[in-house]
Amino acid sequence: MTTTTRQPSGSLTPLAVPLLAGGLVMVALGVYGRVHTPTGFAVGPAGFSAALPMKAWLTTGAFVLAFVQVISALSMWGKLGISIPPAVHRWSGRLAFLLTIPVAFHCLYALGLQYDVPRVLAHSLLGCFFYGLLTAKLLALPKRGLPGWSLPVLGGLTFTLLVGLWLTSSFWFFTTIGLKV
């Protein structure tokens, strides 16, 4: 006779692997960004005048889609009184993630994790935390038996980190350099 141990609904155990994986991603990005010798260039700005405007606008696109994520999540959880199809949430998240990839690649490969300027240090750390937390959130999505608060908290923290990334990069760029394309 075999017995299986079932975790009670709302147990923190299903969060262990996603949080551990997210922590490993966060640390790996930080270590890579610190030990990698920055190249000064990474991806072509494809339609933009330079890498900084590309990063500012792509991050702004992800920032706007993050608001779509919050509104569609609130709708899915029945908090708005309106129905937004779940596909809107899934696709806005996918697109936001895709917009951040060239930005993150450029930041890590061309610039590395920098700590000489407080804004840049905050931005570097926020980026590592963002991808770590996003990893944890995506790995937690298919898990059964999660506490009811876990996905809203992981999603809210991911949103908060993206807002911080936008403030320390795009907002800084647009207010310091201007609205360049």
Side-chain angles (χ1 to χ4, degrees):
M1 178 165 91
T2 60
T3 60
T4 57
T5 306
R6 285 191 70 182
Q7 297 298 327
S9 181
S11 169
L12 293 177
T13 305
L15 278 175
V17 170
L19 291 175
L20 179 62
L24 291 173
V25 166
M26 177 187 64
V27 170
L29 290 173
V31 168
Y32 175 80
R34 198 61 212 123
V35 301
H36 167 72
T37 303
T39 63
F41 63 92
V43 290
F48 294 93
S49 60
L52 281 179
M54 175 198 70
K55 289 167 43 178
W57 285 107
L58 291 179
T59 303
T60 299
F63 177 71
V64 169
L65 289 168
F67 280 96
V68 173
Q69 283 276 284
V70 169
I71 292 167
S72 60
L74 288 170
S75 171
M76 289 186 328
W77 288 87
K79 302 294 183 189
L80 293 182
I82 60 169
S83 179
I84 297 174
V88 171
H89 187 76
R90 285 190 299 271
W91 280 101
S92 62
R94 289 171 182 157
L95 290 172
F97 173 72
L98 287 175
L99 289 176
T100 67
I101 295 298
V103 176
F105 179 74
H106 186 276
C107 289
L108 274 173
Y109 190 72
L111 307 171
L113 193 146
Q114 298 180 14
Y115 56 88
D116 51 343
V117 176
R119 177 192 62 81
V120 177
L121 171 62
H123 182 74
S124 294
L125 294 175
L126 285 168
C128 294
F129 279 106
F130 171 77
Y131 278 102
L133 194 59
L134 182 63
T135 299
K137 178 183 180 270
L138 294 177
L139 290 175
L141 280 173
K143 298 268 187 200
R144 299 268 185 233
L146 290 173
W149 54 263
S150 59
L151 289 177
V153 167
L154 291 172
L157 289 172
T158 302
F159 172 79
T160 301
L161 290 170
L162 186 58
V163 169
L165 283 167
W166 184 81
L167 288 170
T168 57
S169 61
S170 300
F171 180 77
W172 171 86
F173 178 82
F174 294 140
T175 57
T176 304
I177 309 296
L179 294 173
K180 296 185 186 280
V181 180

